[in-house]
Amino acid sequence: NLSLVTGEKISYELSDITGKIILQKQMNVSPGKTSITIESKSLSAGTYMLSIKGENTFLTRKIVKEK
């Protein structure tokens, strides 16, 4: 979940541990809580990094997918 004070256009990308970009998208978000859902069925087990960037937002989270 992402919580924003103001609405803004954000971009997010999911990359594997080597830095290879797996998924990249942009979306407009409204103020308040926003959820970003990533379909994980096609991902192999491993560690990934989710980076979210906007005009007033920069956030990076580690995601671990287990078997």
Side-chain angles (χ1 to χ4, degrees):
N1 286 330
L2 178 65
S3 186
L4 299 174
V5 175
T6 60
E8 63 182 282
K9 184 175 185 175
I10 63 165
S11 62
Y12 63 93
E13 64 183 35
L14 182 71
S15 56
D16 65 15
I17 198 71
T18 67
K20 179 182 174 188
I21 297 173
I22 307 297
L23 172 71
Q24 189 172 33
K25 291 194 177 183
Q26 293 183 352
M27 63 189 287
N28 291 314
V29 293
S30 300
K33 288 189 177 185
T34 300
S35 293
I36 297 174
T37 303
I38 297 172
E39 183 60 52
S40 63
K41 290 180 183 178
S42 63
L43 296 177
S44 301
T47 302
Y48 298 88
M49 297 302 291
L50 175 65
S51 297
I52 301 170
K53 300 173 189 170
E55 292 177 19
N56 301 306
T57 305
F58 183 79
L59 181 67
T60 301
R61 294 286 184 260
K62 180 171 79 171
I63 299 173
V64 177
K65 180 174 182 199
E66 297 178 356
K67 294 181 182 180

